[in-house]
Amino acid sequence: MKRVTLYLPLLVAIITIIYMLYIIAEQPSTTNDTKQESVSVSSDNSPSDIDEGLQVGKLAPDFTLKGLDGKKYRLSDFRGKKVMLNFWASWCPPCRDEMPAMQRFYQDKDVVLLAVNLTSTERKKSDVTNFIKQYKLTFPILLDEAAEVSDRYQIKPIPTTYLIDSKGHIQYKAFGAMSYELMIQEFQKLE
């Protein structure tokens, strides 16, 4: 029994290190590329799909999802505002850790916060509503019931967060829970 108790913390530490290395390996490089690209713009002056992507600097892929409040939310409707786009699930421990900081951030800053629940991974929809009540969340909760948006955004691991500037471009990506301080720090860099 002593031997198991002795090795358990070591095993936990090894698993944690492997998980962190996985997160780092999955995170794309954010170095600025000086290569110039031609971007076509349609006659209505809206950005083209060529500029769309999941990399920092690219236009965040547009989507429309129904919220828990019954309203439809379209990402592109928030152009002109800073957006925090977060993907989460009620069963995810890091998501639970992050939610109080997200609620505080939402209350303290002039930001649109869209929290996309991976509804297709939930046991039942009431798990989501119970989670919202437990954490007293007041920002919009969007339901990705068919996993279309999370698939489009290639979400793994969760939580994953995108900070999007007022022009609709991704300026920061976080894999794993963000602290309140990190949210503030990265938010201040947005246009």
Side-chain angles (χ1 to χ4, degrees), residues 6 24-25 31 43 49 73 83 116 126-127 142 151 155 169 189:
L6 180 67
I24 292 168
T31 57
S43 60
D49 288 340
Y73 292 85
V83 176
V116 177
S126 62
D127 290 345
L142 312 185
D151 286 349
I155 299 303
H169 291 92
K189 295 177 186 176

Side-chain angles (χ1 to χ4, degrees), residues 47-48 51-63 74-85 153 162-172 190-191:
S48 70
D51 192 29
E52 187 178 275
L54 298 176
Q55 300 82 17
V56 170
K58 294 287 189 178
L59 187 66
D62 201 11
F63 63 85
R74 184 174 172 199
L75 181 61
S76 60
D77 288 345
F78 297 100
R79 294 252 170 81
K81 298 181 179 184
K82 300 172 187 179
V83 176
M84 180 181 199
L85 178 61
Y153 274 77
Y162 290 85
L163 291 180
I164 302 168
D165 67 20
S166 60
K167 295 177 184 172
H169 291 92
I170 296 168
Q171 295 301 320
Y172 182 79
L190 294 180
E191 291 180 15

